[in-house]
Amino acid sequence: MMTSLFSVFEPSSSIMNLPLNWISTFIGMLFLPFVFWASPSRWLLIWFKIVETLHKEFKTLLSSKHPGVTLLFISLFSLIVFNNFLGLFPYIFTSSSHLAMTLSLSMSIWLTLMLFGWLKHSQHMFAHLVPQGTPNLLMPFMVIIESISNLIRPGTLAVRLAANMIAGHLLLTLLSQVGPTILSSTILMILIFSQILLLLLESAVAVIQSYVFTVLSTLYMSEVN
């Protein structure tokens, strides 16, 4: 039963044993040429406003010493939000609902920050293991707790994004499978209306989870610096 439920999230299109569904990860790049239009559309102006707002917020969370780093996190937000939204369309593979993608993103960011922090700011990283004002008796326990919380960060980032995306898609799939078995037109209309509301909720979740993933990555980087 569980295999049949989660089979909708598995790659199925392939040529010469190459999974083509993962190509949907780069569909967002098709929107790049619109940036160079002489007269930008209203949707593009809205996107520019979102990028400007994110740039200001990330700059505040980080510091004025690294103005170009915000471009990295804006690109990360764009990649995740495009994949989350494209997964809401029919017959498009949602790569952000798989740990293969989310764990790759979170692990690469976390590992890079850890290497940079321990190599360049070792004293600060050691001091960060013991919060200020901790009693001497609790210091060994706080080092263990802080070390564990630091080690599980990439896992929590990856699982949070994948679980939130797969939960909504799974609920939409289950509701769509119930539709053909309903004979009452009233219940069918209620089902369609509930699916529309759930789709709107999933659209909000797609943006929120992209924002949460990026902001947490930004906060992790601010701790290293």
Side-chain angles (χ1 to χ4, degrees), residues 37-215:
W37 282 14
S39 179
S41 63
R42 294 182 179 180
W43 294 107
L44 192 58
L45 292 176
I46 294 174
W47 177 249
F48 285 159
K49 188 65 176 179
I50 294 173
V51 170
E52 183 180 358
T53 304
L54 290 174
H55 172 71
K56 293 179 180 178
E57 184 167 353
F58 294 158
K59 188 176 180 180
T60 304
L61 291 175
L62 292 168
S63 64
S64 58
K65 301 177 183 178
H66 309 284
V69 180
T70 57
L71 298 177
L72 169 65
F73 295 103
I74 291 174
S75 302
L76 179 65
F77 174 82
S78 304
L79 174 66
I80 298 175
V81 76
F82 274 130
N83 279 278
N84 291 349
F85 263 115
L86 289 171
L88 297 176
F89 290 94
Y91 306 109
I92 296 182
F93 178 70
T94 312
S95 58
S96 56
S97 64
H98 284 68
L99 286 175
M101 176 185 175
T102 57
L103 193 59
S104 299
L105 289 175
S106 61
M107 184 63 74
S108 59
I109 294 172
W110 176 82
L111 188 60
T112 303
L113 294 179
M114 287 298 100
L115 289 175
F116 175 78
W118 285 105
L119 292 177
K120 297 294 184 180
H121 307 286
S122 302
Q123 185 175 359
H124 172 73
M125 296 297 290
F126 277 115
H128 189 68
L129 296 177
V130 182
Q132 189 176 4
T134 304
N136 295 332
L137 185 63
L138 296 178
M139 283 185 179
F141 300 100
M142 291 304 300
V143 171
I144 297 175
I145 293 173
E146 289 294 328
S147 300
I148 294 175
S149 66
N150 200 359
L151 290 174
I152 64 174
R153 280 179 176 179
T156 55
L157 277 177
V159 172
R160 181 188 293 110
L161 178 58
N164 280 280
M165 295 309 300
I166 204 172
H169 286 66
L170 185 60
L171 186 55
L172 285 171
T173 303
L174 292 175
L175 289 178
S176 63
Q177 292 178 354
V178 175
T181 62
I182 296 177
L183 300 178
S184 175
S185 58
T186 304
I187 299 178
L188 186 60
M189 291 300 296
I190 294 175
L191 178 63
I192 295 174
F193 182 71
S194 62
Q195 281 190 305
I196 293 174
L197 292 180
L198 185 60
L199 187 62
L200 294 176
L201 178 62
E202 278 298 295
S203 301
V205 169
V207 179
I208 293 172
Q209 290 304 316
S210 306
Y211 179 76
V212 169
F213 190 98
T214 312
V215 168

Side-chain angles (χ1 to χ4, degrees), residues 1-10 166 170:
M1 180 63 179
M2 296 303 293
T3 305
S4 62
L5 281 178
F6 287 93
S7 61
V8 295
F9 302 100
E10 293 298 326
I166 204 172
L170 185 60

